[in-house]
Amino acid sequence: MTIGVIGLGYVGLITAVGFASLGNKVIGVDVEKAKIDKINRSEPPIYENGLKEKLKEVNPNLTATTDMSALKNCEIIFICVGTPSRKDGSIDLSYVKKSAEDISEIIRKSDAYRVIVVKSTVVPGTTESLIPILEKSGKKLGKDFGLAMTPEFLREGSALEDFFNPDRIVIGAYDDKSKEAVSKLFKGFGQNKFYTKLKTAEMIKYASNSFLATKISFINEIGNVCKKLDIDTYEVAKGMGMDKRIGREFLNCGIGFGGSCFPKDVRALIAKAEELDEDPKLLKEVMALNDRQPLKKVNLLKKHIPDLKGKTIGVLGLAFKADTDDIRESRAIPIVDALLREGAIIKAHDPQAEENFRKLFPQIAYSSPEEVLNSDAVLILTNWKSFENLNYKGKLVLDGRRVLKAKEADKYEGICW
Ligand code: NAD
């Protein structure tokens, strides 16, 4: 099939590379020229496991461009642009709407039937709200073009692996014709497909992310209590997780969740609920606890070093989680911010995220992990595997992510254990 992908960020690029690797012709469009040039040189614009090799492999099947009209022969067009938070937490749909306007121009000039598929995370009702924009083309939904919504569940760090082996594929479709076209594309992906309505597919994504975020805030709350009782929360999580109704995943207590999805999506669902006159107290507390949790780390540090002014603090890990260069809503941001306000001198290291972090914090030093360990105290904020190979002997280490090797430190304390 010939597939178009609008927005070549984490989701769009993986979608484009994935479908190209399955033998489809893929045309990817993005507004960022530098990103397009990199992709066409088979250089990954983001860090993602295996992406470098895959980009080279799919080169003949993947073209990237800033020219939207290149999508004119595509049978399926995915919208994968960002859906950031507005100041009040509600979702900013301007990039999605702009994409729909651009697609409207494409379908206006052609009589070929095609299906528009929203893959960006959008609040329920959004995909349907694009119908009038798309029909500005003079073409009719159902007859001249189709519409679907397939939420994305990939995890950064293992995004390609998740593309090829997804737990499930949710396909919300406007009508049977749209459903058939999208099913054809996902034909080789096994049995775990769930067909539903457009807005149900949209809600499945929000409910899933909100549930996982709730699990993290839940275990952090339990962890804060365990810490005071001298109980290892990881043992509690292990015991809980043996119950298959609960499951062990997402019960790793620490400094909270970050990334481009959980905080933004929970906030967007809260805003949507409020718009509907609901008061989603549970979700609000999930976010409030997540905002408090990184500051607990600073308080823990001050228990050991009450006055941080002029003290050198080493920070290991800046990405919101291991195996990515993504720092969006990373818990390292409020922690570094608080340390700077206390007058601390910061030396930081991350295997992939320093370039991104430097744009936010140009005033701190970026050093080798060995140099970072040479500080008055070391904070572990991301559990990169390589941190298991460092020598922590003789140091004061405060761990926010459970790096077992760090327990060899002279003084070691975990945030919830
Ligand atoms: P991103 O910011 O990495 O990428 C978005 C891309 O869209 C950027 O490259 C940007 O330049 C481009 N863009 C913006 N407006 C455009 C336009 N009008 N035309 C063409 N390109 C345009 O975002 P992302 O992380 O890939 O997320 C995209 C969507 O997928 C969001 O809704 C997000 O919530 C959702 N999602 C993300 C993840 C994840 O792990 N990153 C997982 C599941 C779902």
Side-chain angles (χ1 to χ4, degrees):
M1 293 177 92
T2 308
I3 297 163
V5 177
I6 304 181
L8 294 172
Y10 286 83
V11 168
L13 186 55
I14 296 298
T15 303
V17 167
F19 282 119
S21 153
L22 294 172
N24 300 286
K25 265 275 166 279
V26 181
I27 297 151
V29 183
D30 202 287
V31 287
E32 274 184 45
K33 174 86 170 68
K35 199 174 264 187
I36 294 300
D37 291 344
K38 275 193 164 178
I39 295 169
N40 285 331
R41 289 196 304 267
S42 296
E43 281 173 30
I46 50 167
Y47 174 78
E48 188 60 50
N49 271 329
L51 182 59
K52 203 169 170 184
E53 298 74 21
K54 227 11 171 205
L55 259 179
K56 283 205 180 95
E57 183 192 311
V58 303
N59 186 288
N61 280 347
L62 173 65
T63 314
T65 174
T66 53
D67 177 11
M68 210 46 88
S69 69
L71 301 179
K72 61 179 186 290
N73 295 323
C74 292
E75 297 152 83
I76 299 227
I77 300 178
F78 282 102
I79 298 179
C80 300
V81 294
T83 47
S85 293
R86 289 206 202 99
K87 272 211 174 86
D88 64 357
S90 65
I91 189 169
D92 176 353
L93 291 169
S94 55
Y95 303 122
V96 172
K97 293 202 164 143
K98 172 75 174 70
S99 302
E101 275 160 21
D102 290 339
I103 295 171
S104 178
E105 274 309 297
I106 293 165
I107 51 184
R108 189 170 65 80
K109 293 178 189 151
S110 152
D111 286 334
Y113 177 85
R114 69 192 82 226
V115 181
I116 318 309
V117 185
V118 176
K119 201 170 237 318
S120 299
T121 302
V122 291
V123 289
T126 303
T127 305
E128 279 175 37
S129 77
L130 303 180
I131 298 171
I133 304 177
L134 294 165
E135 288 192 335
K136 269 202 261 170
S137 59
K139 301 284 164 66
K140 191 91 191 100
L141 175 60
K143 178 174 154 285
D144 303 314
F145 67 95
L147 189 61
M149 198 284 151
T150 61
E152 178 58 63
F153 298 104
L154 65 77
R155 295 160 304 168
E156 285 181 22
S158 51
L160 276 171
E161 158 82 22
D162 291 345
F163 176 88
F164 293 109
N165 304 295
D167 281 346
R168 84 294 211 188
I169 294 170
V170 173
I171 300 173
Y174 172 76
D175 57 7
D176 284 347
K177 206 171 166 190
S178 311
K179 179 178 154 184
E180 268 164 39
V182 180
S183 315
K184 196 173 138 199
L185 182 63
F186 284 104
K187 202 167 146 228
F189 281 79
Q191 297 306 310
N192 276 349
K193 292 189 195 100
F194 182 58
Y195 296 99
T196 185
K197 292 180 185 157
L198 293 170
K199 59 182 169 191
T200 311
E202 292 167 330
M203 189 50 136
I204 288 170
K205 175 66 188 171
Y206 278 98
S208 301
N209 273 4
S210 298
F211 181 71
L212 293 175
T214 303
K215 241 182 140 178
I216 297 172
S217 276
F218 171 83
I219 199 65
N220 283 339
E221 182 144 285
I222 296 290
N224 294 338
V225 178
C226 284
K227 172 95 184 154
K228 295 208 161 139
L229 293 168
D230 197 21
I231 294 170
D232 184 344
T233 320
Y234 274 73
E235 288 209 14
V236 174
K238 188 174 176 189
M240 284 174 70
M242 288 164 88
D243 182 334
K244 52 180 180 304
R245 293 170 305 174
I246 297 173
R248 173 63 185 82
E249 290 207 39
F250 284 79
L251 287 181
N252 294 325
C253 57
I255 49 174
F257 56 82
S260 66
C261 292
F262 285 5
K264 155 179 98 64
D265 294 347
V266 178
R267 281 189 209 114
L269 185 55
I270 291 171
K272 186 72 195 171
E274 286 180 335
E275 187 192 308
L276 299 166
D277 259 344
E278 288 298 321
D279 182 14
K281 287 200 173 75
L282 174 64
L283 296 181
K284 285 181 186 169
E285 189 47 35
V286 165
M287 289 309 297
L289 199 141
N290 198 54
D291 289 340
R292 292 194 297 270
Q293 200 67 6
L295 302 176
K296 281 200 166 272
K297 180 91 181 170
V298 179
N299 291 341
L300 186 64
L301 173 63
K302 286 175 78 174
K303 197 181 87 182
H304 292 268
I305 306 177
D307 183 6
L308 293 173
K309 204 168 168 38
K311 291 283 187 283
T312 306
I313 307 301
V315 172
L316 283 176
L318 302 168
F320 86 91
K321 66 170 187 175
D323 299 324
T324 181
D325 61 350
D326 199 342
I327 60 153
R328 290 179 282 184
E329 305 247 11
S330 167
R331 301 294 79 195
I333 297 170
I335 292 175
V336 166
D337 201 40
L339 294 177
L340 287 174
R341 272 187 276 113
E342 297 272 348
I345 298 160
I346 298 179
K347 289 192 234 174
H349 171 76
D350 189 285
Q352 295 294 338
E354 287 179 13
E355 197 182 319
N356 286 334
F357 211 80
R358 192 179 271 120
K359 290 177 201 152
L360 281 187
F361 293 99
Q363 70 274 49
I364 68 172
Y366 296 87
S367 325
S368 67
E370 291 74 21
E371 184 49 37
V372 165
L373 284 170
N374 191 18
S375 304
D376 293 311
V378 179
L379 309 185
I380 301 178
L381 306 187
T382 314
N383 54 346
W384 282 94
K385 255 203 188 89
S386 58
F387 296 167
E388 291 284 0
N389 302 325
L390 301 176
N391 180 2
Y392 297 93
K393 286 189 182 121
K395 313 291 176 196
L396 163 60
V397 179
L398 303 174
D399 190 356
R401 296 291 185 197
R402 191 76 161 193
V403 170
L404 289 176
K405 177 84 179 332
K407 286 190 170 181
E408 71 180 18
D410 231 26
K411 280 192 203 155
Y412 171 89
E413 236 191 292
I415 181 163
C416 304
W417 60 91

